[in-house]
């Protein structure tokens, strides 16, 4: 390992110490070291943030299908790169630091939407969970699944709130493929193809 090992209890302590939510996203690393190619990792990080932003719209009932996500949502759900751990390859993100005593619940609620979708894939209730999402959230989740599928990687998400215990959800490689197929079929009527010459 080229990084400190992932320890969930220590992660819970860190979240309490800094008073912010910390989330871990574990990928199947392509090498034996705890390192990951930068370009695809950046894309995974971008699609994680985009998914969290769109899930926040679901949580607040402020869905928009096009255009920019509301500024107040983007500010509340902003994640920062927090570090790396050895567990195949795991990158940590945390809610952005703010000048206030307690963080907003929106980050935790949006991350919970993601872990709910991951858990639903394992229990064959994903179709029902997807039914609550609007087209933007579906398309952003699809983008994340496509990145994982391209990498031939599963995904484990661990979310540690500033108070309480961490929650772990795992999506296997097969789960990624199955989820992607279901999300694509859910988006079928929303897909618009444009040809530009």
């Amino acid at each position: 390992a080229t990084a400190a090992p992932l320890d969930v209890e220590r992660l819970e302590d860190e979240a309490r110490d800094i008073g912010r939510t910390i989330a871990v996203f574990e990928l199947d690393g392509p090498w034996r070291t705890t390192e990951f190619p930068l370009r695809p990792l950046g894309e995974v990080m971008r699609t994680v943030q985009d998914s969290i932003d769109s899930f926040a719209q679901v949580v607040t009932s402020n869905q928009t299908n096009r255009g920019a996500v509301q500024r107040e949502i983007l500010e509340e759900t902003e994640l920062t790169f927090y570090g790396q751990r050895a567990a195949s390859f795991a990158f940590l993100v945390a809610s952005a630091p703010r000048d206030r005593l307690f963080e907003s619940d929106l980050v935790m609620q949006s991350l919970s939407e993601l872990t709910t979708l991951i858990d639903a894939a394992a229990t064959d209730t994903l179709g029902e969970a997807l039914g609550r999402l609007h087209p933007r959230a579906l398309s952003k989740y699809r983008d994340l699944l496509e990145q994982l599928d391209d990498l031939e990687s599963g995904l484990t998400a661990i979310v540690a709130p500033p108070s309480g215990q961490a929650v772990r959800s795992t999506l296997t490689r097969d789960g990624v493929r199955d989820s992607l197929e279901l999300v694509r079929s859910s988006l079928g009527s929303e897909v618009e193809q444009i040809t530009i010459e």
Side-chain angles (χ1 to χ4, degrees):
T2 54
L6 176 60
D7 183 326
V8 176
E9 287 185 16
R10 185 166 180 180
L11 191 70
E12 291 171 340
D13 292 341
E14 282 185 62
R16 274 192 291 274
D17 289 347
I18 65 173
R20 292 156 51 199
T21 299
I22 299 175
V24 178
F25 296 95
E26 182 183 351
L27 305 170
D28 301 325
W31 303 310
R32 291 186 182 184
T33 58
T34 311
E35 298 175 22
F36 208 88
L38 191 60
R39 191 170 285 109
L41 178 60
E43 286 301 309
V44 170
M45 289 182 177
R46 181 186 60 77
T47 55
V48 164
Q49 180 68 73
D50 288 348
S51 295
I52 297 307
D53 295 341
S54 62
F55 294 156
Q57 286 190 316
V58 174
V59 169
T60 60
S61 299
N62 285 324
Q63 297 96 331
T64 57
N65 293 336
R66 293 194 172 135
V69 174
Q70 299 90 336
R71 175 175 288 173
E72 59 272 13
I73 286 179
L74 294 178
E75 289 176 357
E76 292 295 328
T77 58
E78 182 181 11
L79 300 173
T80 61
F81 180 75
Y82 189 75
Q84 171 193 0
R85 295 293 186 273
S88 189
F89 174 84
F91 67 91
L92 280 65
V93 297
S95 55
R98 301 282 180 223
D99 292 330
R100 58 186 173 207
L101 190 56
F102 301 105
E103 79 170 6
S104 165
D105 289 336
L106 192 55
V107 169
M108 186 62 201
Q109 291 171 331
S110 301
L111 286 164
S112 293
E113 288 289 328
L114 177 61
T115 57
T116 297
L117 290 173
I118 292 172
D119 289 338
T123 59
D124 293 327
T125 57
L126 182 58
E128 183 180 328
L130 293 174
R132 299 183 310 105
L133 302 181
H134 61 286
R136 182 197 292 268
L138 282 170
S139 67
K140 296 305 181 184
Y141 188 54
R142 177 203 58 203
D143 293 346
L144 173 59
L145 292 171
E146 285 177 342
Q147 286 297 323
L148 296 171
D149 191 41
D150 289 346
L151 292 170
E152 297 182 352
S153 175
L155 176 70
T156 295
I158 303 169
V159 181
S163 60
Q165 292 186 322
V167 174
R168 178 191 296 259
S169 300
T170 300
L171 193 60
T172 64
R173 291 183 189 188
D174 289 339
V176 167
R177 289 187 202 98
D178 294 344
S179 297
L180 182 54
E181 187 176 321
L182 192 52
V183 171
R184 283 176 174 160
S185 65
S186 298
L187 274 168
S189 59
E190 302 293 335
V191 172
E192 181 181 359
Q193 187 170 6
I194 301 172
T195 303
I196 301 174
E197 296 182 1

